[in-house]
Amino acid sequence: MFTVTGAFDDGATYTVQVTGRADRPVIGSHRAAALVELHQGKPIALSPTGPMSTVAGGDEASVLALLREYTHVLEDSGAVPR
């Protein structure tokens, strides 16, 4: 589990814990949780140059990549996947 702090395009900030659990991928922001749910099963690049993966709640790396793609991640801490 690790923590991500960021902001949405409208300036609203969030802090979530990425859990690695398929049933509850993030804790701490209903809006971030809805974003993850909206994109589940869709492809996402894990880094700017790839590789591609499918967004899955149980896959911490894909959840982090999604947050980086659709929000402005300001900080991540803990056991962050690289």
Side-chain angles (χ1 to χ4, degrees):
M1 187 178 319
F2 59 94
T3 302
V4 176
T5 300
F8 294 98
D9 286 340
D10 64 2
T13 60
Y14 68 88
T15 298
V16 295
Q17 289 184 321
V18 179
T19 65
R21 293 176 27 201
D23 63 327
R24 194 162 182 201
V26 296
I27 298 171
S29 166
H30 293 292
R31 194 168 169 189
L35 180 68
V36 173
E37 185 177 333
L38 178 68
H39 291 277
Q40 289 241 17
K42 296 181 181 175
I44 189 91
L46 296 180
S47 71
T49 58
M52 297 297 287
S53 183
T54 301
V55 176
D59 179 8
E60 293 176 332
S62 71
V63 172
L64 178 59
L66 176 79
L67 293 172
R68 287 180 173 157
E69 177 74 23
Y70 291 98
T71 71
H72 305 283
V73 172
L74 304 171
E75 181 181 15
D76 49 44
S77 60
V80 179
R82 300 286 173 200

